Amino acid sequence: MSIVGAALTPHPPVLLPEVGHGRERMISATHNAMSQAAGMTAGWNPDVIIIVSPHTVMYEDYFHISPGSEAEGDMSAFGAPQVRIRVNYDAPLRDEIVRRAQSAGLSAGTLGMKDPALDHGVLIPMYFLRKAGICCPVVRIGLSGFSPQEHYHLGMCIAGAASALGRRAAFIASGDMSHKLTRDGPYGFAPEGPVFDRTVAEALSSADFMKILTIDPSLCERAAECGLRSIQIMAGALDGLSVMPRLLSSEGPFGVGYTVAVFDVTGTDETRKFILPWKKAMQEKIRKRRAGEDAWVRLARFSLETYIRSGKKLLQLPDGLPEELIAHAAGAFVSLHLNGRLRGCIGTIEPAYSSVALEIVNNAVSAGVHDPRFPPVRQPELEDLEYSVDVLGRPEPVKARDQLNPKKYGVIVSCGRRRGLLLPDLDGVDTVQQQLEIALAKGRIREDEPYSIERFEVVRHT
């Protein structure tokens, strides 16, 4: 056997009566749908539950799969220590998943355990599954910063491992939707929040996993979602299978989206294999993006790709560069994004070289291999990287906050030798307060310390 069914489940602690103390009635549709999904899962008679959670140990460049033979956790962090669940792990299946993932070139395994306790992304679905009478072993898996394709591919490895060992496996994708649905919610409102939730709900209701794989990364970032990559792994686990999708509920009264969906496996379907169509769609996207790149971005890409492939920086600038690139000096930042997420950003506030071109050449390499927040860019990532180049105007002092605008101006905060800079018009930075808080944190400056503020404009090349 292999995957006998799958479900998407949210994980709001308030969903449990022991935590909600009556507030769970405000999401009664979700509560009823979770009970229904658990009952349907019990009807599949699974040998094992594969559960993926955004709150399990997560690394940017590694899929963590929980080691050991068992684990437990409780809801004491949410005021309900009496809600305690223990699970046994299916170690042979876990080891087979790891073996297949590593053979497929995925960085996955059982290393790097930080906290063995079950997280609430696991506990809440398991609470409903236990009430439905399910007590079988579990395999617990975390997410990563990898691409949708790699998450999907991990799902395929999971299904292959279950089939190889003869397991009837039920897949549980734990994850909430947007966290920015209402102005009075804990994370505020973004117009992209409701758009994201509607887009995902429509895709799930028709099992349109291609839409799940190709959803706009900037939409996801602005919506502040947490469940999409769980769904992408689930989609991979259902690769080549015909399914009957059921969207059981979708609501968000607390400003966070909760969606419950179930997928009954009804057979096989060769048309429901999405890796090759996804690759073709991404290749076309890359072709269009590169065709639209200007000389500033092409130079940044050429510089980093040359360094990653040869280990050497450019010694000579390419011919045919615009006069503006080689006749002027200015500070410049090079930003890298992969799958909609920042992959590196390094720049100079004031020019360190004799031309903007040399500034870009050097900062592109630094963004790719010297940004301390990220591991160095790997050669297989080069094809999918998106670049932007910001050429900085001259900073000017700011006397009052009303002279700032996070969409128009970048900001520099200074306290002694400490400085923090934030570029303008960044996803998720919508207010002056947010901009200053981030810049201060980057400069390691406390808000109660005396600091000066400068603003600057940029010319952004994408």
Side-chain angles (χ1 to χ4, degrees):
M1 295 298 295
S2 180
I3 306 298
V4 294
L8 167 66
T9 66
H11 48 246
V14 71
L15 192 61
L16 307 188
E18 295 88 343
V19 176
H21 300 295
R23 295 183 70 211
E24 71 276 5
R25 289 192 289 269
M26 296 178 65
I27 49 173
S28 59
T30 300
H31 191 282
N32 294 337
M34 288 284 281
S35 297
Q36 185 180 353
M40 295 172 69
T41 303
W44 298 329
N45 191 29
D47 300 322
V48 61
I49 297 291
I50 310 291
I51 188 162
V52 177
S53 167
H55 299 286
T56 292
V57 179
M58 184 170 74
Y59 292 97
E60 188 71 19
D61 57 351
Y62 187 73
F63 288 111
H64 177 80
I65 304 176
S66 294
S69 59
E70 62 181 15
E72 67 177 358
D74 62 52
M75 296 294 289
S76 58
F78 304 97
Q82 72 274 27
V83 179
R84 176 175 291 274
I85 294 174
R86 178 186 292 272
V87 300
N88 294 319
Y89 287 140
D90 187 334
L93 178 58
R94 176 193 61 223
D95 295 345
E96 180 65 11
I97 291 170
V98 170
R99 188 190 69 77
R100 286 174 175 262
Q102 292 177 351
S103 295
L106 298 175
S107 180
T110 57
L111 302 177
M113 170 61 75
K114 296 178 180 177
D115 182 359
L118 299 179
D119 60 277
H120 73 276
V122 172
L123 287 168
I124 292 167
M126 289 303 305
Y127 176 96
F128 286 89
L129 293 172
R130 286 289 170 85
K131 283 186 174 296
I134 296 175
C135 295
C136 61
V138 166
V139 174
R140 176 190 179 210
I141 300 174
L143 307 178
S144 77
F146 291 137
S147 69
Q149 177 189 357
E150 287 165 298
H151 283 81
Y152 189 95
H153 204 166
L154 178 63
M156 294 174 63
C157 294
I158 291 168
S163 179
L165 297 187
R167 300 286 200 273
R168 294 176 56 86
F171 191 102
I172 304 297
S174 178
D176 296 335
M177 297 294 100
S178 171
H179 286 58
K180 293 193 173 184
L181 296 183
T182 61
R183 296 190 186 282
D184 59 352
Y187 304 95
F189 175 78
E192 293 83 359
V195 173
F196 174 86
D197 280 22
R198 285 196 300 270
T199 301
V200 172
E202 290 170 2
L204 294 174
S205 65
S206 60
D208 185 353
F209 293 154
M210 189 64 177
K211 182 179 288 187
I212 293 295
L213 290 172
T214 57
I215 190 168
D216 182 359
S218 65
L219 172 65
C220 304
E221 185 75 17
R222 289 181 177 270
E225 57 78 29
C226 85
L228 183 63
R229 285 170 287 176
S230 293
I231 301 172
Q232 290 167 347
I233 299 175
M234 179 187 73
L238 296 171
D239 180 75
L241 300 176
S242 60
V243 296
M244 180 183 296
R246 302 185 191 184
L247 184 65
L248 301 183
S249 69
S250 186
E251 61 178 346
F254 302 132
V256 179
Y258 308 133
T259 296
V260 183
V262 174
F263 301 86
D264 275 309
V265 173
T266 58
T268 59
D269 185 345
E270 290 296 311
T271 68
R272 293 190 56 78
K273 294 187 173 184
F274 295 98
I275 281 288
L276 288 180
W278 182 86
K279 285 182 177 179
K280 289 180 180 179
M282 290 301 101
Q283 287 169 354
E284 179 61 15
K285 180 181 178 182
I286 290 168
R287 186 192 67 78
K288 289 182 178 179
R289 183 176 69 235
R290 292 201 175 195
E293 291 177 345
D294 66 11
W296 284 254
V297 174
R298 286 198 301 272
L299 179 60
R301 182 185 294 280
F302 182 52
S303 173
L304 181 58
E305 290 184 351
T306 298
Y307 183 83
I308 295 298
R309 289 178 173 137
S310 70
K312 298 178 181 178
K313 288 187 178 181
L314 286 177
L315 298 178
Q316 184 174 349
L317 292 175
D319 294 332
L321 292 177
E323 185 73 9
E324 190 177 350
L325 267 171
I326 57 179
H328 304 284
F333 274 73
V334 177
S335 301
L336 313 174
H337 283 80
L338 184 66
N339 307 313
R341 295 181 174 85
L342 185 67
R343 185 62 179 87
C345 179
I346 293 289
T348 43
I349 300 174
E350 298 174 350
Y353 299 91
S354 60
S355 69
V356 174
L358 289 173
E359 212 79 32
I360 292 170
V361 165
N362 286 277
N363 290 344
V365 172
S366 294
V369 299
H370 297 311
D371 188 329
R373 297 169 295 178
F374 304 96
V377 166
R378 299 173 293 122
Q379 188 163 328
E381 296 176 294
L382 292 176
E383 188 72 15
D384 299 322
L385 283 178
E386 296 184 46
Y387 293 69
S388 65
V389 176
D390 290 290
V391 180
L392 275 61
R394 186 178 298 275
E396 58 184 13
V398 170
K399 295 182 179 180
R401 291 191 178 199
D402 60 7
Q403 294 179 288
L404 297 175
N405 181 336
K407 296 302 179 186
K408 181 179 180 180
Y409 298 110
V411 66
I412 302 169
V413 293
S414 303
C415 180
R417 293 186 176 182
R418 290 171 290 159
R419 302 176 86 185
L421 177 147
L422 196 67
L423 296 170
D425 197 22
L426 299 177
D427 280 348
V429 182
D430 301 313
T431 68
V432 169
Q433 182 63 28
Q434 288 175 314
Q435 187 183 46
L436 288 174
E437 285 176 354
I438 297 170
L440 288 168
K442 292 178 72 173
R444 297 183 179 180
I445 302 169
R446 299 194 314 272
E447 287 194 54
D448 61 353
E449 291 185 277
Y451 60 88
S452 61
I453 304 174
E454 296 172 284
R455 72 180 188 184
F456 59 90
E457 293 188 81
V458 304
V459 177
R460 177 162 293 166
H461 302 265
T462 59

